[in-house]
Amino acid sequence: MESREIPGLLLDTAPDAIVVSRRDGVITLANRRAHDMFGYPAGELVGRLVDDLVPEEARENHPEQCRAYLSGESGPMRRRPLRGRRRDGSVFPVEISLSAVTDGESETYVTSVLRDDTTQRQAAQERALLASIVQSSHDAIVTTDLDGVVTSWNPGAEMLYGHPASATIGTSIDVIIPPERRGDEEQVRLLVRLGGRVDRYRTIRLTAKGEMIAVSALISPLLDERGRMIGTTTITRDISDRERAEGRVQAVLDAAPDAVLGVAESGEVVLVNAEAERLFDHPRYDLLHMPLPLLLPDGLPPVSAVLRTGGDSTLLDTIRADADPDQPADQRWATRRALRRGGAELPVDIACSSLHTDSGVVIVVVVRDITERLAAEEERRRLREEADKQRLEARIQQTQRLESLGQLAGGIAHDFNNLLAVILNYASFIVEDAAGTPPAADAEQIARAARRGSDLTHQLLAFARREVIRPRPLNLNVVVTEVHQMLERSLGEHIALTVRTTAGLPSVMADPGQLEQVLVNLAVNARDAMPGGGRLTIDTAPVHVGAEYATRAPVRPGVYVRLRVSDTGTGMPQEVIDKAFEPFFTTKPSGHGTGLGLATVYGIITQAGGTVQIYSEPGIGTTFTILLPATDVEAQQAPPEESAAGLTGHGATVLVVEDEAALREVTCRILRRGGYTVLAAGNGEEALRLAAEHAIDVLLTDVIMPGMLGRDLATAIDRTWPGTKVLFMSGYAQPVLTTHGTLSAEVHLLEKPFTSAELMRALHEELQAKP
């Protein structure tokens, strides 16, 4: 090959299109790639104008652009994006670089190097699409180099792990791997680097909050353009919710009170729960794949035969065939047995259902140990023969249970109400002293929360019949009307509420607040029994109970006021009615009821001397009938509370006796601010010493204190200073209540938690009371 031929060969084999043109735009040289790019046969471009390679809409400006370039006005052009025009008229993107040279005769030639940008644009689009997929993926996609340093971190990773990409890229991947898992993860990455296959696996990751989350991970090699491995790509998906769901299902299964077995058509056990382990006394791994006859020698009930699909005979059929064919079907399972480890037999009830799975039909067998039930039936038979004794024992047991609950409730209420009184009054100080400021608004929220806590303690005491009752003659119609307005707002539009009252109703002696609680509890129960809507009716009427009815109900003959609450809900079967008033008994789902509502209703009504009865039919509805004894005393309106504003002590001496230091301090502070002279003692002995040294106008004492109760202290001080006024304060006033739960006439009680206004009002009334 001649040396002069080499430049032409290099020109034709160049990967880019090369076009040389004169100043006038005539093409003098074009290589093979230029002809291919613009769709011209070999040699046809020479002699054509450069404008033929420019789209028509750009030709108008092309001469001016060429002049500016040749004159040096526009500067050099390197890889500038333009558009080219092929011979067939199609337009395509190109990148162009220009250079100009002048020969010895002053002729200027322009060399254009053009590169088709289509492939690069497609590649860029593909890369952009891939990046968009990665960025929009809900999975966490993280790439690392061979040393485990993070090189990319998509938004899915930010959302899952809580680390922003800006803080993670360039750091070790160990930031999201728990320390105890890092060795295992390094082994997985090493396996990938060695070319091994790693399927999706479950592992644990660490979030920015330090929380452990379960993820499904997939690791693959990260390759460069030459196919060399430069790192790894990890795709993870949060499976915590799925595992929690599976865990909840297993937990529900394990929490079932009955043993549950899943039996394959081969007769082997393939599913067990925790109760099955307890009932059969075998660990779970022993029960699985154990033949059913080793657990239930009598086989399954005949109904399980219709649960199967297909006509092939299986081991289950054989088990059923072993039953005595001469025994009647309705008696074949009268005696049922389950075998525990060691051969011990248990009487059981069996129920079956079918479960269709990918591996075939599984018979779900529920096995219930009826040992206790049989014993209970025997016990009920014996108790029926001793009905009178049983009723007496039941009343004693109920009294003991309520007494125990009352003591517990009292202890809780006493301590809790002390704390609430401190919180409530210190919050009130802030509200008064910083009125109109943000701290005052915050303190009001604290006071509101303390008042809600006080309401809870009162409910607890009401259930346990340890609540302070202040009965007065009242008209039940007034109570019903007031509650009616509240229920209309709270029951919901799907409940139609009707209230019918009878004029001229006799008065009853009761605490109006407790009767409101009764109505609300019954209305809420009725609402829950009508989830799809229905009708709730409340009516009142006077009734006369005769001797014949009194023998069937625990009431004396006489005049009563009847309160009925009826709904059109689901109703209750007799076995539920029998237990409806028992504490903590509920038919509502877990988390939707405490079982205290009707027990509280029963306690309030019976404490008021009345009775409550239930009539209900499933699918029709329920009616609660309450009878309260009528009284000849005319109903009274509640006296309006006297404002505490302007009530001062005028120097009167108050001996405050409270074993809770914080409550004692805040009480003294309130009284001093109110103009009283205050003496304070932490117990009865200290109070007696102060009383011996100072004359006091009124004793303000806690009811329950260590060493000496408030009543005993009041008696001792009365011996020293006869006629001393006494005001008790307590959140649990049982020691100063009568046997009926009401306050004695001579006992004045301030319930905890109290506000400063309530304290000042109570002391004012005590000092003004006649001896």
Side-chain angles (χ1 to χ4, degrees), residues 306-602:
V306 303
L307 299 177
R308 294 182 56 253
T309 58
D312 296 336
S313 177
T314 68
L315 183 57
L316 288 182
D317 297 317
T318 306
I319 294 171
R320 288 190 291 270
D322 290 340
D324 184 0
D326 297 329
Q327 189 173 8
D330 59 347
Q331 298 179 10
R332 187 174 299 169
W333 303 104
T335 301
R336 306 167 181 87
R337 295 174 299 155
L339 292 181
R340 291 170 58 85
R341 183 166 58 178
E345 293 187 356
L346 293 175
V348 296
D349 272 350
I350 299 175
C352 296
S353 62
S354 63
L355 178 65
H356 295 265
T357 69
D358 294 339
S359 57
V361 177
V362 174
I363 303 299
V364 180
V365 183
V366 179
V367 183
R368 176 173 298 172
D369 184 357
I370 61 172
T371 303
E372 293 183 2
R373 192 186 78 189
L374 294 178
E377 290 175 354
E378 177 62 23
E379 181 67 10
R380 283 197 295 271
R381 185 193 63 80
R382 185 183 66 80
L383 291 177
R384 279 195 298 268
E385 297 174 355
E386 303 175 359
D388 294 339
K389 181 180 178 180
Q390 186 272 341
R391 283 194 295 269
L392 178 61
E393 290 177 352
R395 281 195 293 269
I396 293 174
Q397 291 172 359
Q398 185 179 27
T399 301
Q400 291 174 341
R401 286 198 302 270
L402 289 175
E403 184 64 29
S404 297
L405 288 171
Q407 292 176 357
L408 175 63
I412 294 174
H414 176 266
D415 293 338
F416 193 47
N417 280 328
N418 280 347
L419 297 175
L420 289 174
V422 174
I423 295 170
L424 183 61
N425 284 288
Y426 274 112
S428 298
F429 290 157
I430 299 174
V431 172
E432 294 174 8
D433 297 341
T437 67
D442 294 341
E444 179 58 37
Q445 293 299 323
I446 296 173
R448 186 176 293 112
R451 286 191 289 269
R452 287 200 298 269
S454 175
D455 293 340
L456 290 177
T457 59
H458 285 306
Q459 292 177 13
L460 183 62
L461 290 171
F463 156 67
R465 303 185 191 181
R466 295 299 190 273
E467 174 72 300
V468 176
I469 298 176
R470 291 185 171 87
R472 60 179 175 85
L474 54 87
N475 188 328
L476 191 57
N477 287 343
V478 176
V479 177
V480 171
T481 301
E482 292 177 351
V483 174
H484 178 201
Q485 298 172 357
M486 178 186 65
L487 292 179
E488 280 189 328
R489 296 190 300 268
S490 60
L491 287 180
E493 297 181 355
H494 66 298
I495 304 296
L497 175 62
T498 301
V499 173
R500 293 194 292 265
T501 58
T502 301
L505 209 60
S507 301
V508 296
M509 187 70 69
D511 187 315
Q514 288 200 325
L515 288 186
E516 289 178 1
Q517 186 177 356
V518 166
L519 283 167
V520 170
N521 283 350
L522 294 179
V524 168
N525 276 358
R527 180 199 64 192
D528 293 343
M530 299 182 289
R535 186 173 62 256
L536 174 63
T537 304
I538 301 174
D539 69 85
T540 62
V543 296
H544 184 274
V545 175
E548 181 180 353
Y549 180 83
T551 59
R552 293 183 282 109
V555 293
R556 297 178 180 179
V559 178
Y560 288 80
V561 175
R562 184 189 68 202
L563 170 66
R564 281 192 308 205
V565 180
S566 304
D567 65 66
T568 58
T570 55
M572 295 181 284
Q574 186 60 45
E575 58 268 21
V576 173
I577 295 176
D578 293 340
K579 299 180 179 180
F581 294 123
E582 292 185 5
F584 307 114
F585 174 79
T586 180
T587 58
K588 297 178 182 178
S590 176
H592 290 75
T594 63
L596 295 178
L598 291 182
T600 302
V601 169
Y602 182 81

Side-chain angles (χ1 to χ4, degrees), residues 87 132 205 222 232 245 250 279 293 300 346 378 392 406-407 483 500 508 613-614 632 659 751 757:
R87 184 184 183 191
S132 175
R205 288 290 187 261
L222 179 64
T232 58
Q250 185 62 45
L279 184 121
L300 300 182
L346 293 175
E378 177 62 23
L392 178 61
Q407 292 176 357
V483 174
R500 293 194 292 265
V508 296
Q613 294 182 328
I614 305 174
D632 295 333
D659 60 304
E751 293 183 69

